[in-house]
Amino acid sequence: MTTLSPERQNADLLAGRGHIGDLPRPGTIDGTVNLPPDERAPLVLNNRSFHEITEIVCGYAENPLGKWWLPLLGMAATLVGVLQLMIGYLIITGVGVWGLTNQVDWAWDITNFVFWIGIGHAGTLISAILCLLKQKWRTAVNRSAEAMTIFAVICAGIFPGIHVGRIWFAWMLFPIPNSNWIWPNFRSPLLWDVFAVSTYATVSVLFWYMGMIPDFATLRDRADAEWRKGRRSIGLFFRAYVLGFLSLGWRMSSRHWHRYEKAYVLLAGVSTPLVLSVHSIVSFDFATSVLPGWHTTIFPPYFVAGAVFGGFAMVLLLLIPARELLPNFKDLLTIRHLENMSKILLVTGWMVGFAYMMEFFIAWYGGNEYEWSVFINNRVTPLWVDPHNGAPYWWAYWTMISCNVISPNLFWFRKMRQNPVTIWIVAMFVTVGMWFERFVIIVTSLHRSFLPGEWHMFHPTIVDILTFVGSCGLFLTLFLLFMRFLPVFPIAEIKAVTPQADPHGHHDDHAEGGH
């Protein structure tokens, strides 16, 4: 530890009395967050050359990731098996195996649907919006975040499909002409969900795939080079053939790069409004009803802010362990990246907290006693404070407040924003809190309706719980397969933010023979 103050260090550096590489750095700081104010933080550490970046990123997709990967994949795949069993049991038996009642006919399944849709939002936000804003730090996290979007939308799509009960009639959600002239109700927000989510999934897949085409070509060329060197195996041939098909004839020509960049920016422009529109439409499922607790105009911005908040938390939840487990990952995903995302969590956490407060204000200002009762008697007041009129689900509400509003405030402190363990713990709290947010909105509004005689509690069954756990296993399985077989970072974009990409910088890659 140095005894000099940061100001003194900066003064010495600016006066030419030292070099930043010579200064000791405390704790987990990797050198990207304590630079002098006149220096840009490096987005790639250890002065990696173009060749080294290619070797690092392609190495993740070409070689085993480590001894931890297969057991973890086995555990996640087991949970996928549990999910399949629960869905099969549901189809054979009916939705009576869930804890639904006549009053609480939306509960666990729709909570999970909205939760997973929210998780899927940060990927497109990081890639599309930050791309349009020309934020270079996105390059370290955008590929993983886009993958997370796809996998979360897959998990989300399961729940409305099985919620309909007769899953073999799920095709009737789509406006497909049929001989009976039976059409979906176009005025139903549930049908808007079908269009919004399917459009979002389609554009997200195209955006994700478009970004990977140059990397597929690099992996194809490397597989082809190995084949020509004499390392001939069925696996290598299969890899080269599949990658050649996925790379769409990419030859690294300037014409290809020009068209690629045009198409990528175009897709980013299309994706950006989708981030705002999809969760707004999901919020209409609730806002267009007349049920107290749902019938409010604040839901669209409230849901969008919450989705971004929960999505960024999931990105951190996935990438911080990957940063520890994969070699050289820390060179490409630095403390600076984690600190930037922590700041976004802090800002969106305050936006979510503001939305929680506005709900109370609207209920009070509107003068609707049923609305006010939902917030006071169904959510806030603990039973030990008022045993007769208290909220049975008060614990869920206060868990939500603790996780979503209180825990991100740790990021006011710089040391907390720069500590990966603290960031991961807060991200875990936020993820839990965002699930409880959806549970609170849905269940507390439904279990006590206008007539006290219709009041019922909701208790999840073991089928409910295992179905959700199984969906988490599906999400983790898909993400582990992504890390093993696809490029985790955009190779060309990572190279573009290195000093070597500067036309006025030094170039020594030719000597190393890499591209």
Side-chain angles (χ1 to χ4, degrees), residues 341-404:
M341 287 193 280
S342 301
K343 290 176 181 175
I344 292 177
L345 272 189
L346 179 61
V347 172
T348 51
W350 270 89
M351 292 168 68
V352 169
F354 176 75
Y356 295 158
M357 289 188 290
M358 285 304 296
E359 281 190 313
F360 281 89
F361 174 76
I362 292 170
W364 169 78
Y365 192 71
N368 186 325
E369 57 182 316
Y370 295 102
E371 189 85 11
W372 184 249
S373 176
V374 164
F375 287 99
I376 299 300
N377 302 118
N378 289 6
R379 296 182 183 178
V380 175
T381 309
L383 279 175
W384 49 268
V385 173
D386 187 350
H388 300 292
N389 296 315
Y393 293 109
W394 65 272
W395 50 271
Y397 181 82
W398 288 108
T399 301
M400 176 190 79
I401 293 293
S402 303
C403 294
N404 291 350

Side-chain angles (χ1 to χ4, degrees), residues 224-260:
D224 182 66
E226 288 292 317
W227 179 270
R228 292 178 188 278
K229 286 179 183 175
R231 185 195 157 199
R232 302 196 171 185
S233 65
I234 296 177
L236 190 61
F237 173 78
F238 181 74
R239 170 188 286 272
Y241 184 82
V242 171
L243 290 170
F245 177 78
L246 292 174
S247 56
L248 301 178
W250 183 274
R251 288 291 181 269
M252 305 287 178
S253 70
S254 58
R255 178 181 294 179
H256 287 180
W257 279 112
H258 175 72
R259 291 176 177 170
Y260 163 81

Side-chain angles (χ1 to χ4, degrees), residues 429-479:
F429 275 118
V430 170
T431 304
V432 171
M434 289 310 296
W435 187 90
F436 271 101
E437 180 194 287
R438 280 64 184 245
F439 179 85
V440 166
I441 290 172
I442 295 170
V443 174
T444 61
S445 299
L446 283 173
H447 87 289
R448 285 178 172 176
S449 186
F450 294 100
L451 300 177
E454 296 179 347
W455 291 4
H456 291 283
M457 293 292 291
F458 167 75
H459 301 287
T461 65
I462 190 67
V463 179
D464 280 312
I465 296 170
L466 290 180
T467 304
F468 175 63
V469 172
S471 70
C472 296
L474 174 62
F475 179 79
L476 187 58
T477 300
L478 294 172
F479 194 80

Side-chain angles (χ1 to χ4, degrees), residues 193-211:
D193 276 349
V194 174
F195 289 106
V197 175
S198 58
T199 304
Y200 182 67
T202 304
V203 173
S204 297
V205 169
L206 287 174
F207 191 47
W208 186 47
Y209 175 64
M210 176 68 71

Side-chain angles (χ1 to χ4, degrees), residues 313 345 403 407-408 410-411 421-431:
L345 272 189
C403 294
S407 69
L410 280 176
F411 293 145
V421 176
T422 304
I423 296 171
W424 191 86
I425 292 173
V426 171
M428 173 63 79
F429 275 118
V430 170
T431 304

Side-chain angles (χ1 to χ4, degrees), residues 260-275:
Y260 163 81
E261 291 175 0
K262 290 283 185 185
Y264 195 77
V265 172
L266 182 64
L267 279 173
V270 171
S271 303
T272 302
L274 280 177
V275 175

